[in-house]
Amino acid sequence: MAGDTFELWKNQCLKCDFSKKGSVDGDISHIVSFINSHDQYFTTSSCSGRIILFDGAWDCQVQKRNCSWLFVTHQKCQSEDVLTSLEKSVGDATLKFEPFVLHVQCKKLEDAQLLHTVAVNSGFRNSGITVGKKGKIIMAVRSTHCLEVPVSHRGTVLITDQYLDFLVRVSNQKMEENLKRIERFYECLQTALQPQEQKCILKEAADKKPIYRRRRKRTQDDSVTDCCQSVKDHNENSEEETVCDLLFL
């Protein structure tokens, strides 16, 4: 892809935010800014994750057509708030948890492969790469820990308050895990995209550490270390093929 064409696409995309909210979600604004600060990447869409209750027409076969949002939050929520919103349902209401999603256009295929390695090793194992007819390379960061449950039909609530409490609790647990994966992704991303000079300094510091260490219980920090090691291996073997979902549209 010509560099001038990529720069043109980047400038056009970052000029306006056409999302329904009109701004980047707070929990991922630092990630979006960090990615867009690099010449080889720019973000095209993003969502930090959300819990939503939407009402659709009961006779509509297309889920996103003729539906209204009764409740939405990008944080954990309370059962009372969801129940109050559910009482407004006049169609088929569905409670959903949607995890973090991020679409990044990449300058070269190897740039997308590096980002894919970071995403997969951070827990976003449904991530993949697509190549469009015009040469646009998009890397999608996606996860599989979703939730989708129908809770009303033709305005009649189908579940008990107790079951709604359970659904909200599960949604909140998924949101907590989602935020942990986001931070793990950001830490690994910083390691992958740090300047080469800084990588050399960190490598020299690591080489000076003692070989023998006390065994300790694995924590989330260990998983971050493993992820960063995978990114390091990817950089050192950049000529090898990276396993990824590659679709030619």
Side-chain angles (χ1 to χ4, degrees):
M1 178 191 303
D4 293 342
T5 302
F6 183 83
E7 286 298 322
L8 178 62
W9 285 340
K10 183 171 184 176
N11 292 334
Q12 289 176 341
C13 184
L14 299 182
K15 187 177 299 183
C16 299
D17 188 332
F18 295 104
S19 64
K20 189 172 183 178
K21 182 181 177 183
S23 62
V24 178
D25 296 335
D27 287 326
I28 58 172
S29 59
H30 58 302
I31 297 178
V32 171
S33 297
F34 180 71
I35 291 175
N36 289 331
S37 68
H38 290 77
D39 295 337
Q40 67 270 40
Y41 299 112
F42 66 90
T43 58
T44 60
S45 65
S46 63
C47 178
S48 64
R50 61 190 180 184
I51 300 172
I52 59 175
L53 177 70
F54 65 89
D55 205 22
W58 63 270
D59 58 347
C60 183
Q61 299 298 318
V62 182
Q63 187 182 75
K64 290 189 176 181
R65 183 179 297 171
N66 298 325
C67 72
S68 60
W69 289 16
L70 303 176
F71 176 82
V72 59
T73 180
H74 295 273
Q75 306 294 332
K76 293 192 295 184
C77 63
Q78 301 293 326
S79 300
E80 293 78 10
D81 297 330
V82 178
L83 179 59
T84 300
S85 301
L86 180 58
E87 293 173 350
K88 303 174 184 177
S89 172
V90 294
D92 290 358
T94 301
L95 180 66
K96 291 185 67 176
F97 167 75
E98 297 177 337
F100 169 61
V101 62
L102 177 69
H103 292 92
V104 182
Q105 187 163 335
C106 310
K107 194 170 188 178
K108 299 178 181 179
L109 184 58
E110 49 264 39
D111 298 328
Q113 290 173 332
L114 175 60
L115 207 59
H116 181 268
T117 300
V118 171
V120 170
N121 286 284
S122 300
F124 298 99
R125 302 190 180 279
N126 198 34
S127 300
I129 301 171
T130 60
V131 180
K133 293 181 180 179
K134 294 183 179 180
K136 292 184 178 181
I137 304 171
I138 304 294
M139 217 300 292
V141 182
R142 299 183 300 246
S143 184
T144 57
H145 65 300
C146 308
L147 177 71
E148 182 171 357
V149 183
V151 291
S152 78
H153 178 57
R154 297 189 182 185
T156 301
V157 178
L158 301 175
I159 62 175
T160 64
D161 291 353
Q162 183 179 9
Y163 187 58
L164 180 63
D165 288 339
F166 171 74
L167 292 178
V168 171
R169 186 164 65 251
V170 171
S171 299
N172 286 337
Q173 291 172 349
K174 288 181 176 291
M175 181 64 78
E176 289 179 357
E177 174 61 25
N178 180 65
L179 295 176
K180 290 178 182 178
R181 293 187 187 187
I182 288 175
E183 285 310 305
R184 191 156 64 235
F185 173 73
Y186 180 53
E187 292 178 16
C188 291
L189 188 63
Q190 287 179 303
T191 300
L193 299 182
Q194 63 185 315
Q196 188 62 38
E197 296 79 4
Q198 187 175 354
K199 291 181 182 179
C200 294
I201 294 175
L202 292 176
K203 185 177 184 303
E204 292 175 359
D207 292 341
K208 293 179 181 179
K209 291 183 179 181
I211 298 178
Y212 298 101
R213 304 177 184 174
R214 292 178 57 189
R215 297 186 64 182
R216 56 189 173 84
K217 185 177 180 181
R218 285 180 60 85
T219 64
Q220 182 179 340
D221 292 335
D222 295 318
S223 62
V224 172
T225 302
D226 293 342
C227 170
C228 295
Q229 180 61 44
S230 297
V231 172
K232 177 182 176 184
D233 293 340
H234 178 281
N235 291 332
E236 292 177 349
N237 300 280
S238 57
E239 296 182 357
E240 296 181 4
E241 181 180 2
T242 301
V243 179
C244 62
D245 248 349
L246 186 56
L247 303 176
F248 292 89
L249 304 180

